[in-house]
Amino acid sequence: MWLGPEEVLLAGALWVTERANPFFLLQRRRGHGKGGGLTGLLVGTLDVVLDSSARVAPYRILHQTQDSQVYWAVACGSSRKEITKHWEWLENNLLQTLSIFDNEEDITTFVKGKIHGIIAEENKNQQPQSEEDPGKFKEAELKMRKQFGMPEVEKLVNYYSCSYWKGRVPRQGWLYLTVNHLCFYSFLLGKEVTLVIQWVDVTQLEKNATLLFPECIKVSTRDSELYFSMFLNINETFKLMEQLANIAMRQLLDNESFLQDKSLPKPRKPLKNISALKRDLDARAKNECYRATFRLPKDECLDGHTDCTLWTPFNKMHIPGQMFVSNNYICFASKAEEACHLIIPLREVTIVEKADSSSVLPSPLSISTKSKMTFFFANLRDRDFLVQRISDFLQRTPSKKPCGSDREWKWNLGDPGCEEVPELPSSSPLAVSPPSALNNRPVNFCAGEVPTASQGLLKLFRRNSEELLGPKGAKEKMKEESWNIHFFEYGRGMCMYRTGKTRELVQKGIPENLRGELWLLFSGAWNEMFTHPGYYGDLVEKSMGKYNLATEEIERDLHRSMPEHPAFQNELGIAALRRVLTAYAFRNPTIGYCQAMNIVTSVLLLYCNEEEAFWLLVALCERMLPDYYNTRVVGALVDQGIFEELTREYLPQLSEKMQELGVISTISLSWFLTLFLSVMPFESAVVIVDCFFYEGIKFILQVSLAILDANMEKLLQCCDEGEAMTILGRYLDNVVNRQSVSPPIPHLHALLTSGDDPPLEIDIFDLIKTSYEKFSNLKADDIEQMRFKQRLKVIQSLEDTAKKSVVRAVSSDIGFSIEELEELYVVFKAKYLMSCYWGNNRAAAARRDQSLPYLEQYRIDMEQFKELFISLTPWSCGAHTPVLAGRLFRLLDENRDSLINFKEFVTGMSGMYHGDLTDKLKILYKLHLPPALNPEETESALEATSYFTEDVTTEVSPFVSELDFCLPCESQETPEDKGRRNDNGQEKEEKGTSPQDYRYYLRMWAKEKESKKETIKDLPKMSQVHRRICK
C-alpha cells in the first residue's frame, strides 16, 4: 500500500535492494523469503520485539536522489506481487516526468505531493470510521489479522508489549486484545509462540505478584493457566481485559453481543495509538461508574467531568470535588466520600450564570432551580465551555414539557400522629394518579382510567392502633421532625444535598409517611418515573387480558405474597400487585417474572402507589440488583460468592465451618432475593430496605456478616446444616423493631421460636449499628470488582452444568462416549458463538431464548454445519462434499427451521462414525430422497426411486421425521419381507453374495417408506403408561 512519505536514514540496514533506478529503490527485508540463516532469525526476533512494520510488510519502495543521503519510504507490501504493482506504476507514470526537473528538492517535493494525492484519492471510497483510528494502530490491526487468521469483522481494541511465561522462561512478544479474543505472538531466534483464547473460555482473571513471577496477569481457562508480565501499564491492560471478559460473559448470559457506539464525539486532540473501540470501552466504563454512583437511568451518558468546589450552605464551606455533566443531569461528588453528593436534573434548572471572578473564588458559576435553590460552584477550569454545554442541553429540551413536568416537591405534613393522608397539591410528585382508582370498583381500562393509587396501601389498611398516641407515636413524630429540619437545611427532592447526616437519619429508620418519597429519591426511580409519564398506565392497558407463562406464575403466587397483611387479604391489594407484576413482565420479557419479586413488590405497594412501586421494581431488577431475577438468578449467585469471599476475609474461623456445613449457599439466596423480607419480621425488615435503597447491596452484605458474627459461637458447635439453619432462623425471627407504630404482623417463621426458654430479642437498630461498626469499611468499588470475579466463575459454572445436562440427555441414543460428546459440544458451541461474533445476518445469531431447554439454546445453520462437516466427518472428500453436507443438514433438520441443535448434529455424526455398513448405506440412501433434496434435485430422485422400487408407485412418500441412524446390525423389516426371508432362505444367501445385494437393500428400504405408517417411537413411553396406571 502507499505510505505517507516517511524519512529513512539508513536505507541499507537489515534490507536488501532488489531493484533500483535513479529515483527509487525496491527492497526486501533480510531473512524474508527463501533462506535467511542466522541473519534472518536475528532480524525476525528484532521485528517482533520492536514491533517493526516489516513483519507485515517485508517489501518497501524508497525514493532517493543522487546527491542526498536521505531516503523517503513511499510504499510497502506484504507480497512481491503487491510491491511489484506499485513499482511498475512509478516507472510508467513518474520516471519520465522526474527526469525533466533540474533541482533535486523539486523532485522530492513533487514525489511527496503525488503520493499524498494518491492516498487521498484512495481514502475517498473508505468509510469515515476507519479514519478515526491512527495509522500506527491500523498497522497493528493488519498484523493481528495476518498473524492469527482473523476476519476483518474482528476488531482490535488495543495491543501491548509484554512477556508470556512458558514454564520459567519469559517470551517477549505482543499481546493483542480484540473484541472476542486474547492473542499473543512471539518470535525469538526461530522459536515461535502463538496463542489464541476466546474471552468466553476465560474462567478467571487475576493481577498478582509472586516470587516466581513479577507483577503479572494470570489468565485461567478450563484447560490452562497463562501468565503475562512486563507491561508498561499493567493496570490499564488488566482493566481492559476485565471489560472484554465481562462483555463475553454478558453474551453467554443473554446473547447480548457487543455493538460499538458510533455516536462518540471525536476527541478535540488527536490521540496517539488509541482506537475508536478503546475510546468506546473507556467511555462505557466511565458511564457505568457515573450511573452507579448517582443512581441514574441506564441510558444516561457522561459528557465530561471537571474539578471544582461547591459552596455548601449547611456548613458554610467550599467543598472540593468533581462536577459531572451528562445529557440530563449535573452531578457533584466531593473528594471526601461522605462530605456531599448532589444531583441536579437539567429539567429543574432555570438560570445558569457566570459570577465575577476573584482571587479567592476564580471562575464561579451559579445554577438556580425551580425549587428556589441556588448552587454555587467555583474553581472551574473551563467555565465558558461548561456554560455553553449546559445552555445547549437546555435549548434541546422541548418547550412543551411532559405531563407533570412542573410538579414541585411541596408537602403539607400536618400532624404526623393522625392517620389523615397529607394533602397534596395536584402538582405534587405523589399525586400522579387520580384517586378514583382507589375505589373498590373495578377499573374501566376502556374508559382510559389510569390504574394507579394515589397513596400506599398501608394508609388504607392501617388498623386502629393506640401506638400512634403512645411513646412510639411520639418517637415517630420526633423522626419526622428530624427529617423536616434536614429538609430545611439540606433541601428536599432530587436536588437535596446528600451527606453523612442523611445516612445517619436513614440508619435510625425512615418515618412511614416519608418512606415512599425517600425510596424513590435514593433509588433513582423518581427520575425514570418523571421522564416516562403515562408509561405504566399504557403497559397495564396493553397487558390486560393477555396470558403467558409469566402471568400464570404471577397468578399462582399472588395469594402467597404477605398473606398475613390485611392489605393483601382482599381483592384491592391483590389486583394492584397483579397489575404491577404483569406490567413489569411485559416491559422486560427477558426476566418476565421470578419468585421473590412478588414479596418485594407487595412491600413496595404498602408505601407507594402502583406507578411508584412499578418504577421502584424497575430500579431493583435492572440497576440495584442486576441479573437477580432472571431464570438462573445469576446476580444472586454472584453476590453469594462475594458473601463467601467476605466471610473468609472477616470471619475466617467461621468460614471453614460454614463451608463444611454448606449453609451459605442455602441462606444467602433467601436473604438477598427478598432483602430479608421473607426471613425477618416485617417491621424490622422494612428498616433493612430503607438502608438498602440508600447504600445498595453493600448494606445487605454487611448486615449478613453481622448476623453470622452474632451467632458465631453457636454455629461453630453445629453438627449439621439443619441445626445451623434453625439457629439463624430463630435469631432472625426475633429481630424486632420496638419503634414501629404499625401493629405487629404474624411472621411465618414464628414456629422456629418454640422452646422452653423465652427467645432473646434483638433490636434491628442495634444490629444495623453493629454492622456499621464492624464492617463499614466495605467499599462499593471493591464490591463491583468482586462481582466481576464471581460473575466469571458463576457463568462458567452454569455453562459447565449445561454441557453436562446436554451430554447426559443425548448419550443414551448415540454411539459416542461421554468424553467424545463433551468435545463435540465444545466444538458445536464454538461454531455457534462464531456466528454471533462474525455472522451479521445468520439466523443462528438471533437472540437465543434462555427459557428453552439447554439442548435448544445453541443451534447452527447450514453454512456452519458445512464447515463442521468438512472438518469432522469421515465423508468429506472431493467436489461433492458441499452437496453431501447440505443434504445431510436438511435430513437432520426435523422441524424445518433451517437450524439444528446439538442432538441432531451428533445423531448424524454417530451414524457416520459408529454405524455398520448397512446403517451407512441406509444414510446414503436417505440422502437421495426428500427432505434431504432441494427442489431442483427432486425430479432426478423420483426417477431413481422408480428404478429401484419397480413394482411400487413412482411417487415418493413423505420422509418420516424421526431418524434412527444407530440401528442394530439387522435392518428393519416389514412382515412381508420377513416371510419372504423365511420361505426363501437359500435365495437370500445367494443374494447376499451377489452384486444384486445392494439393489435388494435399496428396494427393501424404499418399501419401508411406503408401508411403515407408525413406529415404536410413536407409541407412548413406558413411563407415561406407568403414570396413567398410578393415577
Side-chain angles (χ1 to χ4, degrees):
M1 64 179 182
W2 297 106
L3 301 174
E6 299 176 357
E7 188 173 332
V8 178
L9 295 178
L10 298 173
L14 307 181
W15 293 84
V16 178
T17 301
E18 295 195 338
R19 291 191 187 182
N21 61 43
F23 304 104
F24 298 101
L25 298 175
L26 189 156
Q27 295 186 326
R28 173 180 55 82
R29 188 71 165 177
R30 289 185 185 274
H32 180 77
K34 296 180 180 180
L38 181 60
T39 304
L41 293 178
L42 291 172
V43 173
T45 301
L46 285 173
D47 287 343
V48 170
V49 174
L50 302 178
D51 192 32
S52 169
S53 60
R55 287 173 49 212
V56 161
Y59 297 93
R60 70 179 182 182
I61 297 176
L62 303 180
H63 164 63
Q64 64 159 358
T65 53
Q66 293 180 355
D67 298 331
S68 175
Q69 298 298 319
V70 178
Y71 295 81
W72 297 88
V74 296
C76 66
S78 58
S79 64
R80 187 179 296 276
K81 181 179 179 181
E82 180 185 0
I83 203 68
T84 301
K85 181 180 176 182
H86 290 331
W87 179 264
E88 291 176 351
W89 188 92
L90 291 172
E91 285 189 328
N92 296 333
N93 295 277
L94 288 189
L95 281 186
Q96 189 173 358
T97 306
L98 295 178
S99 61
I100 301 173
F101 288 93
D102 296 330
N103 190 335
E104 292 186 351
E105 291 184 3
D106 293 341
I107 294 175
T108 301
T109 303
F110 179 81
V111 170
K112 290 166 66 176
K114 193 68 176 176
I115 299 300
H116 281 302
I118 295 172
I119 294 173
E121 189 67 28
E122 287 181 348
N123 289 341
K124 280 185 180 180
N125 299 326
Q126 294 183 0
Q127 294 181 356
Q129 183 194 347
S130 63
E131 293 303 310
E132 294 183 4
D133 295 337
K136 185 73 174 175
F137 186 86
K138 290 181 188 176
E139 186 179 296
E141 191 168 39
L142 186 62
K143 295 174 189 175
M144 179 272 297
R145 291 202 184 110
K146 181 180 179 184
Q147 190 64 53
F148 304 103
M150 298 289 180
E152 289 191 9
V153 292
E154 181 70 358
K155 299 295 183 183
L156 178 64
V157 180
N158 214 348
Y159 62 104
Y160 302 93
S161 174
C162 69
S163 291
Y164 161 62
W165 290 81
K166 193 171 183 180
R168 298 189 178 185
V169 180
R171 299 297 181 90
Q172 185 67 27
W174 289 87
L175 182 70
Y176 297 89
L177 305 182
T178 72
V179 172
N180 302 301
H181 296 85
L182 178 152
C183 306
F184 177 83
Y185 179 77
S186 172
F187 181 88
L188 292 177
L189 299 177
K191 292 187 178 181
E192 192 174 46
V193 176
T194 303
L195 297 174
V196 179
I197 300 169
Q198 295 186 60
W199 289 117
V200 293
D201 292 333
V202 174
T203 58
Q204 191 175 16
L205 275 177
E206 287 184 302
K207 183 179 64 173
N208 51 29
T210 63
L211 293 175
L212 179 60
F213 302 111
E215 191 176 27
C216 65
I217 295 175
K218 176 185 173 184
V219 181
S220 301
T221 65
R222 291 177 179 84
D223 306 320
S224 60
E225 294 180 351
L226 310 174
Y227 293 87
F228 300 93
S229 66
M230 299 184 188
F231 291 94
L232 185 62
N233 189 339
I234 192 170
N235 292 325
E236 176 194 333
T237 309
F238 185 70
K239 184 178 177 182
L240 179 58
M241 292 169 77
E242 280 189 328
Q243 277 187 282
L244 294 170
N246 209 18
I247 291 171
M249 293 306 104
R250 177 60 55 187
Q251 185 173 13
L252 285 178
L253 182 60
D254 58 12
N255 209 36
E256 183 181 312
S257 59
F258 176 79
L259 295 175
Q260 184 179 352
D261 183 4
K262 298 182 179 180
S263 62
L264 280 178
K266 291 186 177 181
R268 286 185 283 175
K269 296 180 180 179
L271 302 174
K272 184 179 180 182
N273 295 342
I274 297 182
S275 67
L277 266 178
K278 178 68 167 59
R279 289 178 51 230
D280 182 7
L281 289 172
D282 289 344
R284 288 177 189 230
K286 290 178 181 177
N287 289 336
E288 288 172 4
C289 181
Y290 169 63
R291 290 191 292 260
T293 302
F294 299 104
R295 306 276 174 80
L296 298 178
K298 293 180 71 174
D299 57 352
E300 197 65 22
C301 294
L302 180 64
D303 189 63
H305 59 90
T306 182
D307 291 334
C308 67
T309 59
L310 171 66
W311 170 255
T312 49
F314 50 86
N315 59 3
K316 307 294 189 293
M317 290 178 60
H318 289 277
I319 297 180
Q322 281 193 321
M323 174 191 283
F324 301 84
V325 180
S326 62
N327 306 29
N328 302 293
Y329 299 89
I330 300 171
C331 301
F332 174 85
S334 58
K335 290 184 178 178
E337 185 178 356
E338 294 188 12
C340 182
H341 269 211
L342 179 65
I343 303 171
I344 308 173
L346 287 175
R347 61 177 182 267
E348 296 290 329
V349 174
T350 55
I351 301 173
V352 179
E353 55 185 352
K354 296 182 285 187
D356 295 334
S357 295
S358 65
S359 58
V360 179
L361 289 177
S363 304
L365 176 70
S366 68
I367 299 176
S368 302
T369 65
K370 296 175 184 176
S371 56
K372 312 301 181 187
M373 295 181 70
T374 300
F375 303 96
F376 196 75
F377 298 91
N379 293 286
L380 291 163
R381 292 182 181 177
D382 199 345
R383 182 179 60 169
D384 294 337
F385 177 74
L386 179 62
V387 170
Q388 184 61 45
R389 294 308 299 261
I390 297 174
S391 301
D392 292 342
F393 285 137
L394 295 178
Q395 288 175 3
R396 287 202 296 270
T397 304
S399 57
K400 183 179 179 181
K401 296 176 178 136
C403 175
S405 62
D406 58 346
R407 296 172 188 146
E408 298 177 5
W409 291 85
K410 298 178 182 176
W411 298 83
N412 182 13
L413 282 176
D415 185 2
C418 68
E419 292 198 21
E420 249 181 46
V421 179
E423 292 183 7
L424 302 177
S426 60
S427 61
S428 170
L430 295 186
V432 179
S433 311
S436 60
L438 289 172
N439 299 335
N440 289 331
R441 63 182 176 83
V443 180
N444 182 8
F445 291 95
C446 298
E449 295 184 18
V450 181
T452 58
S454 63
Q455 55 188 328
L457 295 175
L458 192 64
K459 293 178 181 177
L460 295 175
F461 293 94
R462 177 183 290 167
R463 291 174 287 186
N464 294 329
S465 173
E466 297 180 359
E467 302 288 354
L468 294 171
L469 303 176
K472 292 184 178 180
K475 184 73 174 178
E476 187 79 358
K477 269 189 177 183
M478 292 175 60
K479 283 185 183 180
E480 290 190 4
E481 188 59 32
S482 298
W483 276 99
N484 287 333
I485 294 172
H486 184 273
F487 291 148
F488 179 78
E489 294 182 358
Y490 296 86
R492 187 168 190 170
M494 285 305 304
C495 299
M496 176 173 63
Y497 293 97
R498 306 177 194 204
T499 66
K501 177 69 173 176
T502 313
R503 173 182 288 173
E504 291 176 10
L505 286 176
V506 172
Q507 291 173 21
K508 294 176 182 178
I510 299 176
E512 288 191 353
N513 286 335
L514 299 176
R515 191 160 267 146
E517 172 195 353
L518 294 177
W519 283 1
L520 286 167
L521 286 180
F522 296 148
S523 67
W526 168 245
N527 286 319
E528 291 184 284
M529 184 175 74
F530 189 94
T531 53
H532 295 83
Y535 178 85
Y536 172 69
D538 293 341
L539 265 183
V540 172
E541 259 190 271
K542 292 176 183 177
S543 61
M544 288 298 292
K546 296 182 179 178
Y547 300 96
N548 53 32
L549 181 62
T551 57
E552 290 178 10
E553 293 176 346
I554 289 170
E555 288 297 326
R556 188 168 58 246
D557 288 348
L558 283 177
H559 294 279
R560 304 175 188 171
S561 309
M562 295 190 69
E564 65 275 11
H565 198 285
F568 299 98
Q569 294 171 356
N570 65 86
E571 187 55 32
L572 180 60
I574 295 295
L577 181 60
R578 176 188 293 115
R579 288 192 292 266
V580 173
L581 291 174
T582 305
Y584 186 78
F586 274 80
R587 166 189 166 86
N588 192 343
T590 303
I591 292 178
Y593 171 76
C594 175
Q595 284 187 342
M597 287 173 67
N598 60 321
I599 296 173
V600 174
T601 307
S602 59
V603 174
L604 300 179
L605 282 168
L606 292 177
Y607 298 98
C608 307
N609 66 41
E610 284 184 37
E611 186 176 13
E612 294 162 352
F614 170 80
W615 286 111
L616 279 170
L617 185 61
V618 170
L620 273 174
C621 296
E622 299 177 11
R623 288 190 286 107
M624 300 189 73
L625 298 176
D627 302 321
Y628 258 60
Y629 300 105
N630 57 25
T631 53
R632 297 189 279 182
V633 292
V634 171
L637 293 173
V638 168
D639 287 345
Q640 173 185 302
I642 295 175
F643 183 42
E644 292 179 1
E645 190 174 338
L646 292 174
T647 305
R648 285 193 295 271
E649 180 179 348
Y650 290 97
L651 308 170
Q653 185 180 1
L654 181 61
S655 173
E656 187 175 343
K657 182 70 174 179
M658 297 293 279
Q659 291 294 334
E660 178 186 334
L661 298 175
V663 174
I664 288 185
S665 60
T666 306
I667 62 175
S668 55
L669 283 182
S670 59
W671 293 4
F672 296 165
L673 280 171
T674 64
L675 304 176
F676 288 94
L677 289 166
S678 64
V679 295
M680 194 181 284
F682 169 75
E683 301 82 12
S684 304
V686 78
V687 181
I688 299 284
V689 178
D690 290 342
C691 297
F692 165 75
F693 276 123
Y694 188 82
E695 296 274 17
I697 192 62
K698 164 184 175 293
F699 177 75
I700 300 296
L701 291 168
Q702 71 182 38
V703 166
S704 302
L705 289 170
I707 292 170
L708 292 185
D709 183 55
N711 292 275
M712 183 183 295
E713 292 183 7
K714 294 180 180 178
L715 290 172
L716 287 174
Q717 297 173 4
C718 289
C719 300
D720 55 35
E721 179 185 359
E723 186 179 354
M725 293 294 295
T726 302
I727 290 171
L728 291 172
R730 182 177 290 119
Y731 177 88
L732 290 171
D733 193 61
N734 289 285
V735 176
V736 298
N737 181 2
R738 300 188 179 94
Q739 301 177 11
S740 174
V741 295
S742 298
I745 298 172
H747 188 47
L748 295 177
H749 290 76
L751 294 175
L752 293 172
T753 62
S754 60
D756 298 331
D757 299 329
L760 178 65
E761 292 186 343
I762 303 95
D763 189 272
I764 181 62
F765 298 104
D766 291 340
L767 177 62
I768 291 174
K769 181 180 178 182
T770 302
S771 74
Y772 275 100
E773 288 174 351
K774 293 188 175 182
F775 308 106
S776 62
N777 55 347
L778 289 177
K779 303 296 180 186
D781 292 342
D782 296 336
I783 291 174
E784 285 303 315
Q785 185 71 26
M786 287 189 285
R787 269 182 168 174
F788 164 76
K789 178 181 176 181
Q790 293 296 330
R791 190 179 294 117
L792 279 180
K793 187 183 299 182
V794 167
I795 294 180
Q796 295 292 15
S797 175
L798 290 172
E799 289 295 310
D800 290 342
T801 302
K803 179 175 71 174
K804 292 176 182 176
S805 299
V806 171
V807 169
R808 188 167 55 248
V810 303
S811 59
S812 58
D813 302 328
I814 303 299
F816 291 110
S817 66
I818 296 294
E819 293 75 16
E820 290 172 333
L821 284 173
E822 288 182 349
E823 292 178 4
L824 283 172
Y825 180 84
V826 171
V827 174
F828 185 86
K829 176 183 167 183
K831 185 57 65 175
Y832 165 83
L833 292 174
M834 287 301 174
S835 71
C836 298
Y837 300 159
W838 301 332
N840 296 327
N841 299 313
R842 288 182 173 176
R847 189 182 186 86
R848 77 177 191 268
D849 187 356
Q850 294 285 341
S851 63
L852 290 174
Y854 288 132
L855 187 59
E856 296 290 336
Q857 289 190 12
Y858 295 120
R859 297 180 293 172
I860 60 175
D861 60 17
M862 183 180 290
E863 292 303 317
Q864 295 166 303
F865 177 78
K866 286 182 178 179
E867 294 169 8
L868 288 177
F869 184 90
I870 292 171
S871 60
L872 294 177
T873 65
W875 292 1
S876 57
C877 58
H880 296 289
T881 298
V883 177
L884 195 62
R887 289 188 180 186
L888 184 58
F889 178 86
R890 287 188 288 271
L891 192 66
L892 297 173
D893 182 17
E894 297 180 4
N895 58 0
R896 307 291 176 265
D897 63 350
S898 300
L899 297 171
I900 61 171
N901 61 31
F902 180 67
K903 183 176 183 179
E904 294 166 335
F905 171 72
V906 294
T907 299
M909 295 295 104
S910 180
M912 287 181 281
Y913 274 102
H914 296 287
D916 60 13
L917 179 61
T918 304
D919 296 330
K920 294 176 181 178
L921 285 173
K922 191 170 184 178
I923 296 173
L924 283 173
Y925 175 73
K926 290 176 180 179
L927 292 180
H928 291 79
L929 294 175
L933 303 180
N934 58 35
E936 292 77 13
E937 297 170 329
T938 304
E939 185 176 351
S940 60
L942 291 173
E943 296 175 0
T945 306
S946 63
Y947 171 73
F948 287 120
T949 57
E950 294 178 352
D951 56 337
V952 298
T953 138
T954 56
E955 183 180 357
V956 179
S957 63
F959 192 76
V960 292
S961 60
E962 295 284 348
L963 294 179
D964 186 11
F965 285 170
C966 300
L967 295 172
C969 294
E970 294 83 20
S971 60
Q972 297 179 1
E973 297 177 330
T974 62
E976 293 82 356
D977 293 330
K978 187 174 181 179
R980 186 182 302 114
R981 187 194 64 186
N982 293 337
D983 296 339
N984 304 302
Q986 179 76 24
E987 180 184 343
K988 178 157 186 192
E989 283 184 14
E990 293 175 359
K991 286 186 177 180
T993 57
S994 68
Q996 297 286 333
D997 189 38
Y998 297 104
R999 182 174 295 186
Y1000 166 78
Y1001 276 112
L1002 294 173
R1003 186 184 302 112
M1004 181 182 65
W1005 294 331
K1007 284 193 174 185
E1008 284 181 17
K1009 301 299 155 231
E1010 290 296 328
S1011 60
K1012 189 166 65 171
K1013 300 299 182 185
E1014 185 180 75
T1015 65
I1016 293 176
K1017 290 190 176 183
D1018 296 322
L1019 298 176
K1021 296 180 179 178
M1022 287 297 294
S1023 58
Q1024 296 171 341
V1025 176
H1026 180 69
R1027 281 199 295 269
R1028 291 174 190 166
I1029 294 173
C1030 293
K1031 289 180 181 178

